[in-house]
Each structure stands twice: as structure tokens, then as C-alpha cells.
Amino acid sequence: MNAKLRSTLDGLIYIKQSIIMNIKRPNALDGAKVLGKPVVINVNHISFLSHDLEGKVTFFLANGFEISMNVYFDDAERVFNFAKAGVEFEI
């Protein structure tokens, strides 16, 4: 996968592993670990897109996970909106 972020017709967002700064579930004992594969998220599970306490662009998921990324906010917002609309797009 050459794109940093990609939306699909099915409303999925692919996040390239190399731009992920952190995946965590703040209220859980164990964090999550990513091993080289893209992370796939269903756009309907994203509660909102914002910045975390450290200022990183972050998808906040309905299940409590936070996925912080090294990407511009505008790019993440554009991919999020295209995924919601069911349009293929990549950055």
C-alpha cells in the first residue's frame, strides 16, 4: 500500500502502518500493537476525528480505542468524509 490513508466504496479506511504513532485504549490495561500490516477501520465505528492530548491527529473509535497518526488533519478529514460517502480516495 503506497497511500498513507485510503477510503473504499464499503466505507472502510486503510491506514498505512508507518504513519501510526500510537494505538491505545486509555481505559484498558493492555494497549494494542500493530505489526506491519495496514489498519482497517469501518468508518461507522469512528466517533470523531480530532487531536489527542499530545496534539496528534487521532481517530477516536466507539469501542474506546484511539488511533493517533502522523498526517495532516485536513487529509484525515478528507479521507474520513469520502469513506462516509462511500467514495474511493487515497492520500
Side-chain angles (χ1 to χ4, degrees):
M1 181 168 124
N2 293 331
K4 292 180 181 180
L5 293 169
R6 182 168 57 105
S7 66
T8 68
L9 299 173
D10 299 323
L12 300 176
I13 296 176
Y14 285 81
I15 305 171
K16 189 173 184 175
Q17 190 270 342
S18 64
I19 70 163
I20 295 174
M21 303 294 288
N22 196 6
I23 295 179
K24 63 182 178 180
R25 188 169 184 181
N27 296 325
L29 295 174
D30 298 327
K33 188 173 182 179
V34 179
L35 297 174
K37 300 271 183 175
V39 174
V40 181
I41 303 170
N42 184 320
V43 73
N44 295 321
H45 295 158
I46 297 174
S47 297
F48 61 97
L49 170 66
S50 187
H51 294 89
D52 65 5
L53 295 175
E54 299 170 359
K56 297 181 201 125
V57 175
T58 304
F59 283 127
F60 293 88
L61 306 182
N63 63 4
F65 277 94
E66 299 175 6
I67 301 175
S68 301
M69 303 166 289
N70 184 19
V71 67
Y72 293 115
F73 183 86
D74 292 342
D75 291 342
E77 183 179 38
R78 195 170 327 142
V79 168
F80 174 75
N81 289 332
F82 278 120
K84 275 287 203 194
V87 176
E88 284 190 21
F89 182 75
E90 65 180 38
I91 294 178

